[in-house]
């Protein structure tokens, strides 16, 4: 019998792991709780109504259709039974494996204040993006209906919590919406009077970036009209606004980009986790106690890797490839390789034609950075279904049938069965 | 004070009524419970994952942004208080009018069996389309998980109820999905074995079309693999299938395209309605008792108009224009004009490159009919935001900000306030 490999999660880690096993004499099963692979770097564009959902997602089974050793199943995994080498699905059925790759990522963390989730959605999934988009757009609609100036101001005030790349990109886009997109579309107020506040606990935006780029990003955000509050921590969020110690912002649109925690599946492994629930793995991405299990992507903390591997798409991709290669090596009776993150830098856009980026010692900002971002994404995307052609295809997709609208929002719901 | 015109509903009727009032010395308020105008003829494409939702919808306030006498409000109207010349909104606030145009259309009718709605969604709104799409795609996902052959067959069986244009177009597309789109993407079954059953109570499909075209349509559907049941009436629908008298089809995906009833707002007018709840209007589209109120589109039945005005987009558009013109004439102290529907024919697609169409005495079928459909829609669309350019724009929309993803699915929800 051929070795059975199960891959949990078809984000960047899981997808590239599966791809690396192409043509191998194995049976690969890929499980995900949604039917699509999501290009997360562009999710903020969906959340700010810049792109339709199908533009940033593709059906997993369509991507992997040509890989005959792969079966794709839409499923939610309850837990991993490591001693028995099986995963337990939402209907209590089990799938056994010889090798397992866990790539289920992270979700939002409200630092224990889960009640905030209802008022401040995060941005991890398409459902999240649609919810944020809904709130951003409806805030203006409510403002047009509202005659009381204070209530209208609250509808026109948005708070983005967390000034990492996600928060910065969201805030920048929300400012563009207020100042450009909606110009002239309202009669009772000027949308450019909308207020976008970006709140960050650290003393600068983009804390993971070099200091000079943080400063440039902040200036650009302010040029766009974003109000930046640094060194401030949110103490409470409710349906009408955000509390920061003694200060309060009355805001009907609040977005959370301040913290993540690991997928709960990590805890079901019964192995050491870090403070955010991430799974500690060895240098070759496997578990110390279960060498047939690899954990990759945002869910993993690689022992001894300094600096720590960042929770970004290229890292997940590289880990996915290595974890898969190591399985092939083990089957061939060879030693596994250790993981070393190849850092291709970071880029964050700020509004529609500015960005900051760092690659090694090179710091980019402004329009050149944005151009780099654009080209990098096209390059990235070209490897992802040749999306440059896809973008042209959008024009002709009306006539063809292979398309980008096969996305079902959200995981399996109980009433689907 | 300038005359106040309120337009309820921004489908084809309401939109073109608003447009006809451009530049007039009036204050126009357009109300809709969703933020977008929907191009309904292509909604079946969204339901069958052929187009993304933003491709067939546009934000109302964006379309009307340049019309300075128009205010657009996202609102749900509870009722019309005709004696007081006011509309009552969902928050009990009121808006007064001097002239009112009611264009709120129709919704699904289950012939009194409202419990069927949960199992058999209809296709009128974007939310409907997304729900149908979800069910169509997840049916195949469930089939891939299912080991029991009978249960798998049920997941792979779809029933479309009603063989008017909507049902025919849906069934044709669903057959294309099974036979073309999903080819090679499943490991445990062949998607072309999926069964699509089209059920119709009348003795032919497309009962509103000439007999020869009905026959051609049926043949084309069968060529696509659709099973057509004529002269059959559904007696019950549940979570696992459809009952037709003594016969039962085990099907997990059921779509309703068999009946409509009028928007409930018509009944709040307190004037005579027909059996489906439509409002009887005079030849100039106004109410006998309230000459300042016009009712247009699918919601209206025009007295003395033979044959009856069909519930199609061009009719709503023509009625919208006339109702608006008549308001302008009344303000100018002139007589109103009577409505006469200018029939530009009907076209229904069957699968991806076939159609049937009729214009006067000309009957079209097959590929020439489909080409005509395509050109007609482009023409139609060109008047609708110059969509030909828009289709090319899809390719470049990544770089620009004016876009087609500003659609919020569904009406205002209570928790939005």
């Amino acid at each position: 019998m051929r070795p059975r490999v199960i891959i949990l999660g078809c984000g960047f880690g899981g997808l590239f792991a599966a791809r690396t096993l192409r043509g191998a004499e194995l049976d690969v099963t890929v499980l995900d709780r949604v039917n699509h692979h999501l290009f997360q770097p562009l999710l903020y564009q969906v959340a700010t109504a810049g792109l339709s959902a199908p533009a940033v997602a593709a059906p997993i089974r369509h991507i992997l259709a040509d890989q005959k050793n792969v079966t794709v199943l839409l499923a939610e995994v309850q837990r991993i039974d490591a001693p028995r080498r099986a995963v337990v699905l939402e209907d209590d059925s089990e799938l056994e494996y010889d090798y397992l790759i866990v790539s289920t990522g992270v979700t939002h963390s409200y630092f224990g204040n889960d009640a905030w989730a209802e008022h401040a959605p995060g941005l991890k999934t398409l459902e999240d993006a649609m919810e944020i988009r809904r709130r951003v757009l409806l805030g203006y609609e409510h403002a047009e209906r509202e005659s009381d100036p204070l209530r209208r101001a609250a509808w026109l005030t948005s708070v983005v919590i967390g000034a990492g790349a996600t928060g910065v990109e969201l805030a920048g886009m929300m400012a563009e919406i207020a100042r450009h997109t909606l110009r002239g579309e309202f009669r009772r107020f000027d949308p450019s009077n909308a207020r976008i506040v970006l709140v960050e606990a650290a003393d600068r935006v983009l804390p993971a970036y070099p200091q000079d780029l943080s400063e440039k990003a902040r200036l650009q955000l302010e040029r766009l009209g974003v109000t930046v509050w640094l060194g401030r921590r949110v103490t409470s969020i409710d349906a009408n606004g955000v509390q920061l110690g003694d200060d309060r912002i009355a805001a009907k649109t609040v977005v959370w980009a301040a913290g993540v925690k690991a997928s709960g599946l990590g805890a079901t492994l019964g192995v050491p986790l870090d403070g955010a629930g991430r799974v500690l793995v060895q240098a070759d991405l496997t578990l110390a106690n279960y060498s047939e299990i690899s954990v990759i992507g945002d869910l993993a903390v690689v022992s001894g890797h300094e600096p720590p591997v960042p929770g970004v798409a290229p890292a997940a991709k590289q880990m996915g490839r290595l974890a898969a290669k190591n399985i092939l090596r083990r089957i061939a009776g060879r030693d596994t390789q250790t993981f070393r993150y190849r850092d291709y830098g970071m880029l964050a856009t700020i509004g529609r034609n500015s960005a900051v980026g760092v690659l090694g010692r090179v710091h980019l900002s402004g329009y050149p950075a944005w151009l780099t971002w654009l080209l990098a994404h096209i390059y990235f995307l070209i490897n992802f279904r040749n999306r440059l052609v896809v973008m042209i295809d959008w024009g002709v997709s009306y006539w063809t049938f292979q398309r980008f609208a096969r996305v079902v929002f959200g995981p399996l719901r109980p009433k689907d069965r």
Side-chain angles (χ1 to χ4, degrees), chain A:
Chain A
M1 196 176 76
R2 312 204 313 178
R4 300 156 302 178
V5 180
I6 292 180
I7 298 175
L8 302 184
C10 199
F12 284 99
L15 178 61
F16 284 88
R19 267 281 179 248
T20 306
L21 298 175
R22 190 206 289 256
E25 286 293 317
L26 315 150
D27 290 320
V28 183
T29 306
V30 173
L31 305 180
D32 202 306
R33 58 184 176 178
V34 294
N35 78 333
H36 52 269
H37 166 78
L38 180 61
F39 190 74
Q40 282 210 29
L42 287 179
L43 193 57
Y44 81 98
Q45 288 264 357
V46 179
T48 50
L51 287 176
S52 67
V56 305
I60 295 166
R61 64 176 63 262
H62 181 68
I63 299 173
L64 296 173
D66 59 346
Q67 197 168 325
K68 292 310 174 193
N69 64 357
V70 164
T71 300
V72 176
L73 297 178
L74 182 69
E76 176 120 26
V77 177
Q78 281 192 52
R79 64 180 189 279
I80 301 163
D81 192 332
R84 291 181 46 249
R85 299 196 182 188
V87 298
V88 182
L89 306 186
E90 84 287 333
D91 62 353
D92 295 328
S93 66
E94 294 189 356
L95 290 175
E96 293 178 354
Y97 60 83
D98 298 301
Y99 297 92
L100 176 70
I101 299 178
V102 187
S103 185
T104 51
V106 292
T107 180
H108 319 116
S109 163
Y110 294 88
F111 306 130
N113 300 291
D114 290 337
W116 295 354
E118 181 194 349
H119 307 297
L123 185 63
K124 254 295 163 187
T125 65
L126 274 177
E127 273 199 316
D128 290 345
M130 301 304 293
E131 182 57 28
I132 292 172
R133 181 165 95 187
R134 181 186 183 86
R135 293 181 190 211
V136 167
L137 296 178
L138 291 194
Y140 293 95
E141 293 293 341
H142 282 283
E144 185 79 330
R145 295 264 318 259
E146 183 60 64
S147 43
D148 178 84
L150 277 182
R151 285 219 284 268
R152 179 183 299 149
W155 280 116
L156 292 175
T157 301
S158 305
V159 179
V160 179
I161 302 171
T166 300
V168 165
E169 290 179 331
L170 277 169
M173 279 293 128
M174 287 161 73
E176 297 277 10
I177 289 174
R179 291 172 216 332
H180 296 289
T181 314
L182 301 178
R183 181 179 298 168
E185 294 197 5
F186 293 87
R187 301 290 175 254
R188 300 173 178 186
F189 64 91
D190 179 355
S192 62
N193 289 335
R195 205 165 143 238
I196 292 103
V197 184
L198 177 61
V199 174
E200 167 59 43
D203 60 358
R204 54 192 176 100
V205 303
L206 297 177
Y209 282 64
Q211 189 122 13
D212 65 310
L213 291 182
S214 292
E215 184 57 20
K216 290 199 159 99
R218 184 183 68 78
L219 287 170
Q220 180 60 20
L221 283 164
E222 288 175 345
R223 221 172 277 134
L224 287 176
V226 176
T227 307
V228 181
W229 287 21
L230 297 170
R232 303 301 304 271
R233 206 172 282 275
V234 167
T235 51
S236 168
I237 309 175
D238 57 70
N240 294 302
V242 175
Q243 198 77 29
L244 305 99
D246 288 336
D247 292 316
R248 179 170 175 82
I249 308 174
K252 296 294 278 180
T253 304
V254 182
V255 182
W256 183 264
V260 292
K261 66 184 178 193
S263 149
L265 273 182
T268 72
L269 286 165
V271 297
L273 309 174
D274 78 351
R278 292 191 198 98
V279 180
L280 302 169
V281 298
Q282 301 182 113
D284 67 353
L285 306 178
T286 61
L287 298 183
N289 295 355
Y290 302 99
S291 58
E292 67 279 3
I293 299 179
S294 310
V295 182
I296 60 175
D298 296 357
L299 184 54
V301 175
V302 185
S303 297
H305 195 291
E306 287 305 326
V309 183
V312 295
K317 190 171 167 180
Q318 294 174 26
M319 285 199 258
R321 284 185 173 140
L322 185 75
K325 280 205 196 97
N326 279 344
I327 287 174
L328 295 173
R329 293 175 75 94
R330 284 196 52 180
I331 290 171
R334 299 159 64 193
D335 288 337
T336 58
Q337 286 179 323
T338 60
F339 177 75
R340 184 67 221 168
Y341 175 51
R342 192 169 244 182
D343 193 334
Y344 289 107
M346 297 183 294
L347 274 165
T349 52
I350 309 156
R352 53 193 314 233
N353 49 21
S354 186
V356 294
V358 54
L359 174 56
R361 275 203 285 263
V362 177
H363 296 184
L364 293 169
S365 63
Y367 194 65
W370 184 80
L371 265 187
T372 307
W373 172 87
L374 203 66
L375 294 170
H377 277 74
I378 290 175
Y379 177 73
F380 215 160
L381 288 169
I382 283 185
N383 288 344
F384 182 87
R385 296 201 288 119
N386 202 17
R387 262 196 196 249
L388 182 63
V389 175
V390 155
M391 276 188 272
I392 295 166
D393 271 356
W394 283 351
V396 304
S397 71
Y398 185 80
W399 284 275
T400 67
F401 212 87
Q402 290 314 317
R403 53 205 63 248
F404 322 104
R406 282 172 56 190
V407 168
V408 170
F409 297 106
L412 271 176
R413 296 189 289 227
K415 63 184 167 96
D416 278 340
R417 297 180 230 138

